[in-house]
Amino acid sequence: MFSLGTACAALLQPAFGLLLDWRGVRFCMPIGLLGLCAGLQLLSVTHGAFTLFVSFVFIRATSIGCIEAWVAASISLWFTRYRGRAMALMQVCGGLPTGVVAGLMQAFDRAIGWRAANRTASLTLVALAVAWAVWVRDRPPDARRRPAQPARAAVELAEAKMTAAEVAE
């Protein structure tokens, strides 16, 4: 199941990469989280080996195929000067959330049962997706303050002067 989920993620990543280029990080991260949410919901209603298999493959493909691509795209947008350090830190700490979430899910499983735990995790991801769509930006705020093309500013200034000269005549 693990290998098939990873293979499905490899098939998903090129399409998700195109979507990242087309729509941006802010749009794509909630899609990845909502996909993971759908997998958890499917897992919470599973009744046999086949649905267990499909839900696990879906969860694995979504988490690796969408969410990891989002993180890499975010780092390339937000870290221009220290991109290598940020990527290295992401690789070192990449497994940390998995370990933390696994521990929390185990505690939830024991407290409220595995079906309710998956539903609770799913609803938490919906809230996280909404928060992410509001909080995360496609580019850092200071990138918008710098002119992207200094020549464009000069052309706009020249056009404004020509317009002012035409009005004066």
Side-chain angles (χ1 to χ4, degrees):
M1 286 192 307
F2 190 82
S3 296
L4 184 62
T6 304
C8 288
L11 295 174
L12 181 65
Q13 277 187 332
F16 196 71
L18 288 173
L19 189 62
L20 270 169
D21 288 340
W22 182 50
R23 297 292 298 187
V25 173
R26 186 177 189 178
F27 178 81
C28 291
M29 183 58 181
I31 289 175
L33 288 174
L34 292 175
L36 192 56
C37 172
L40 288 169
Q41 283 292 335
L42 181 63
L43 186 62
S44 73
V45 297
T46 189
H47 290 291
F50 179 72
T51 53
L52 176 67
F53 178 78
V54 169
S55 61
F56 181 81
V57 167
F58 190 78
I59 289 170
R60 175 79 179 153
T62 305
S63 63
I64 299 297
C66 297
I67 296 174
E68 285 190 7
W70 172 85
V71 171
S74 296
I75 287 175
S76 68
L77 289 172
W78 281 74
F79 295 93
T80 55
R81 188 169 177 195
Y82 299 109
R83 187 174 296 145
R85 291 180 197 171
M87 289 295 286
L89 186 62
M90 191 259 318
Q91 291 296 326
V92 168
C93 298
L96 185 63
T98 304
V100 170
V101 169
L104 288 173
M105 287 300 291
Q106 183 179 13
F108 281 146
D109 286 351
R110 288 183 181 157
I112 60 175
W114 65 275
R115 290 183 191 270
N118 284 319
R119 283 189 209 110
T120 303
S122 175
L123 294 174
T124 303
L125 285 175
V126 168
L128 186 60
V130 170
W132 222 267
V134 170
W135 181 64
V136 172
R137 297 184 180 171
D138 284 328
R139 297 199 184 279
D142 63 334
R144 292 188 186 101
R145 291 188 200 127
R146 289 180 274 151
Q149 299 171 347
R152 177 186 234 171
V155 169
E156 289 174 358
L157 181 63
E159 289 174 351
K161 286 181 181 179
M162 289 175 54
T163 305
E166 290 173 358
V167 170
E169 291 178 355

